[in-house]
Amino acid sequence: MNDLLTDSFVGDAKNRPPNTGDVEMGMRDPKSDSNAGMEAFNKQIQEVEKQVERLLALLKKLKDANEESKSVTKAAAMKAIKKRMEKDIDEVGKIARNVKARLEAINKDNLANRQKPGCEKGTGVDRSRMNITNALTKKFKDLMTEFQTLRQTIQDEYREVVERRVITVTGTRPDEKTIDNLIETGNSEQIFQMAIQQTGRGQVLNTLEEIQERHDTVKEIEKRLLDLHQVHFA
């Protein structure tokens, strides 16, 4: 009887598909290992995607703040916008560093994963991992470029806003050299000298303060956005 049981067990074992394993024996299916690896990979990708979505939201906030700043005529309001934008850019920097580090770690994992059976370079699993990683990396890179596009937009619009302020107060259009000097230094009192003599310093003071505050804001935001560019491409 015992011989019959033994022969039956051996025969069943011979008929099993290779590498399927036996749950009761504690053997594991290599295919399951591959699937588990993809699950961990997908989780990493999803975490990075969430961070990229946060960057998108912050980019929108910065664009909205810049749009709001164009209609501001008081120094205090300009200063408040500056603080908000500085805080958001600092947050962008923290998230960008985190995303960059995560993507670098995922790329290393992708290379290491090629050592597993069935996951070698060129296999379906490998191509899937690389395609997903590359697509997310490109999305992140393109998004970071948008922050630099915003920096250029702020520069261009700053010139337009300052020129309008001068025209409003003085009634005349300033020449290019005058605008260049004002943008560079933020010192507008000399430009408004005639307006001060005609209407009194008090009536022009708010504009003087607002232009100076706008100058400081633009310079600081430009610097922080440039630093952000260095973080990504360092």
Side-chain angles (χ1 to χ4, degrees), residues 89-90 92-94 96-97 100 144 147-148 151 219-234:
I89 294 173
D90 287 346
V92 169
K94 292 176 185 177
R97 290 185 188 91
K100 184 179 180 182
M144 297 308 293
F147 283 98
Q148 298 313 306
R151 179 170 65 92
K219 292 301 180 184
E220 182 60 30
I221 297 304
E222 284 181 354
K223 178 182 179 298
R224 288 177 185 243
L225 286 172
L226 189 59
D227 289 344
L228 187 63
H229 179 76
Q230 299 302 324
V231 167
H232 175 56
F233 291 98

Side-chain angles (χ1 to χ4, degrees), residues 167-214:
I167 293 173
T168 298
V169 175
T170 65
T172 59
R173 181 180 296 278
D175 57 36
E176 292 293 317
K177 184 177 180 181
T178 298
I179 290 296
D180 289 341
N181 181 65
L182 179 53
I183 288 173
E184 182 63 32
T185 65
N187 184 8
S188 54
E189 186 166 348
Q190 184 177 355
I191 300 171
F192 295 139
Q193 202 67 46
M194 185 174 294
I196 291 172
Q197 293 172 2
Q198 292 175 350
T199 63
R201 181 177 177 81
Q203 297 183 34
V204 183
L205 187 59
N206 285 342
T207 302
L208 292 169
E209 291 178 347
E210 181 265 318
I211 288 179
Q212 181 63 57
E213 187 61 46
R214 185 178 297 276

Side-chain angles (χ1 to χ4, degrees), residues 83-144:
K83 287 183 179 179
R84 278 162 39 203
M85 294 183 77
E86 287 175 343
K87 181 180 178 182
D88 287 339
I89 294 173
D90 287 346
E91 183 67 14
V92 169
K94 292 176 185 177
I95 297 173
R97 290 185 188 91
N98 183 268
V99 169
K100 184 179 180 182
R102 284 175 180 264
L103 286 172
E104 288 173 351
I106 290 173
N107 272 308
K108 288 181 181 178
D109 287 346
N110 288 344
L111 295 177
N113 195 67
R114 290 175 173 175
Q115 305 304 313
K116 298 178 182 178
C119 301
E120 294 85 355
K121 183 177 180 179
T123 59
V125 169
D126 182 59
R127 290 199 306 272
S128 178
R129 291 176 69 115
M130 295 304 296
N131 288 341
I132 292 172
T133 304
N134 290 339
L136 186 53
T137 300
K138 183 179 185 304
K139 183 177 181 180
F140 172 57
K141 182 178 179 180
D142 290 346
L143 179 55
M144 297 308 293

